[in-house]
Amino acid sequence: QLVHRHRCFASSTPVLKYNSTTSSYYWAIAPLSLSYTLTTNLSKTYDGETKTLSSLYTDVFGSDYDFVTDYKFQRNGSDVTGYRNAGTYDGIKVLSDSDFLTIASLGNTDGKYTITAKAITVNATAQDKTYDATNTVTATLASNGIISGDTVTLGGTATFANKNVGVDKTVTVESLTKTGTDAANYTISNSTATALADITAKAITVNATAEDKTYDATNTAIATLNSNGIISGDAVTLGGTATFTDKNVGSDKNVNITSLTIDGDDASNYNLLTTTATTTADITRLSSVTWIGGATGNWFDPANWEGGAVPDLSNVANVVIPTGVAVSFDTNGIVSPADASSAVNIDNLGSLGSLI
């Protein structure tokens, strides 16, 4: 048996060899010359494992020489022991790793080993956001198919269908990508991923500025409303009812805006934090008012004065009473909004009529 295996492993022809260490020649048995055959259609799907070529290719010299193990694999001139990453590895050769074996120059079949990239499905979760007039959204991408320990980063462009406020709005992630050290080992099966998220209304505070006005016996005011929170380009109109605290002349008088409203195409994307706003403005003294009532009447009835501007308190500088008119100071017959709580203070009474 020992003789049989010896004959299978090497030629019986002696050869003269040189030993460089001892600087001498010696007779030796010539090495066996064998040709190899490697399978050309080996393949697998990427699984993160390194498959050794020695486990893939057995009986490379045929079953009669299965005991021969002193060889190695090479590809593109470099020694290889196995492959882990996806790719096509062709031109795999066998080289001798022993003085007792030479590889024949003819009759060899090089190997080809293919590792197919693993197909994965990308899933998405999206973050809720506050309205910002855009349809952009932040999404987190993941895949159960990525093997633990692999370095793969998933990316894509996530958008809502529109910019507007809503609950459980569909988020679509397109242009899915993969990067990282192990990215080439995977292919993405889906072209898009979807998720659900909310866009909540943006809370805003309304600010007001009010116009000064000349006394007109009313507390109405004209105010301009705005908010720094409204995004440029949005169609939003703010409204409300603006009034002074009273009708009387004064500086820096409080103006209250109540029943604030928001209208317009983009109104539903905002939420008013309060329904009121305040500011200040002046009511200046009316220079002159003329009696338009009958031949007699009460000073404290606004209907008797031009424009209803009853000259009470210090609200009017000059009063004109036409000829033949008799005006009474009837504090018991006051008609709102006339105020007789203090004395009437005027600069000039142009009276061709009389006061009674």
Side-chain angles (χ1 to χ4, degrees):
Q1 180 66 32
L2 290 175
V3 172
H4 171 72
R5 292 184 66 86
H6 175 76
R7 290 185 61 194
C8 290
F9 187 76
S11 167
S12 60
T13 304
V15 294
L16 189 64
K17 301 188 73 175
Y18 178 74
N19 188 329
S20 60
T21 302
T22 61
S23 300
S24 62
Y25 290 91
Y26 62 96
W27 290 100
I29 300 299
L32 188 64
S33 177
L34 298 175
S35 59
Y36 61 85
T37 298
L38 301 181
T39 306
T40 59
N41 60 351
L42 289 178
S43 66
K44 74 165 185 174
T45 299
Y46 174 77
D47 58 7
E49 301 290 335
T50 299
K51 196 73 171 178
T52 62
L53 295 180
S54 59
S55 65
L56 291 170
Y57 296 116
T58 59
D59 294 340
V60 297
F61 302 112
S63 59
D64 288 342
Y65 298 96
D66 59 359
F67 59 87
V68 178
T69 58
D70 292 338
Y71 60 89
K72 60 184 178 179
F73 298 97
Q74 272 195 359
R75 181 172 180 268
N76 297 331
S78 298
D79 292 351
V80 291
T81 57
Y83 292 103
R84 174 183 184 273
N85 295 322
T88 298
Y89 305 100
D90 54 6
I92 300 173
K93 301 180 181 300
V94 176
L95 276 75
S96 172
D97 202 24
S98 167
D99 289 340
F100 298 100
L101 172 68
T102 61
I103 304 300
S105 59
L106 299 175
N108 298 309
T109 302
D110 293 346
K112 180 180 178 181
Y113 179 41
T114 302
I115 301 178
T116 305
K118 183 180 181 182
I120 59 172
T121 299
V122 175
N123 304 308
T125 56
Q127 295 181 10
D128 298 337
K129 76 168 188 175
T130 300
Y131 174 77
D132 62 2
T134 74
N135 67 340
T136 59
V137 58
T138 300
T140 300
L141 304 178
S143 176
N144 294 332
I146 295 175
I147 296 170
S148 177
D150 275 4
T151 302
V152 179
T153 301
L154 300 172
T157 302
T159 55
F160 287 103
N162 57 54
K163 67 174 183 174
N164 297 319
V165 164
V167 177
D168 285 341
K169 292 172 66 75
T170 297
V171 174
T172 302
V173 187
E174 300 176 301
S175 302
L176 294 174
T177 61
K178 53 186 175 61
T179 57
T181 305
D182 297 299
N185 293 315
Y186 299 91
T187 59
I188 298 175
S189 299
N190 49 324
S191 59
T192 62
T194 59
L196 298 176
D198 301 342
I199 300 179
T200 56
K202 183 180 183 182
I204 60 172
T205 299
V206 175
N207 305 308
T209 56
E211 298 179 10
D212 297 337
K213 75 169 190 176
T214 301
Y215 172 77
D216 62 2
T218 73
N219 69 340
T220 60
I222 296 175
T224 300
L225 304 178
N226 61 75
S227 175
N228 293 332
I230 295 175
I231 298 169
S232 177
D234 274 3
V236 175
T237 301
L238 298 172
T241 302
T243 56
F244 287 96
T245 51
D246 58 49
K247 68 180 180 63
N248 300 316
V249 167
S251 298
D252 291 332
K253 293 174 67 72
N254 284 336
V255 175
N256 299 311
I257 298 90
T258 57
S259 303
L260 287 173
T261 60
I262 182 169
D263 296 297
D265 291 342
D266 295 302
S268 61
N269 294 316
Y270 295 91
N271 177 42
L272 299 178
L273 286 176
T274 64
T275 57
T276 62
T278 60
T279 185
T280 59
D282 300 341
I283 299 179
T284 57
R285 201 177 193 196
L286 180 63
S287 61
S288 178
V289 68
T290 300
W291 177 275
I292 59 171
T296 61
N298 185 4
W299 182 286
F300 295 106
D301 184 351
N304 292 326
W305 299 98
E306 182 180 9
V310 57
D312 54 4
L313 306 180
S314 299
N315 291 318
V316 181
N318 301 292
V319 174
V320 177
I321 300 176
T323 301
V325 174
V327 179
S328 64
F329 269 80
D330 181 5
T331 57
N332 293 320
I334 294 174
V335 178
S336 179
D339 186 349
S341 60
S342 297
V344 174
N345 179 21
I346 59 177
D347 294 342
N348 179 59
L349 177 62
S351 179
L352 299 176
S354 60
L355 297 176
I356 56 176

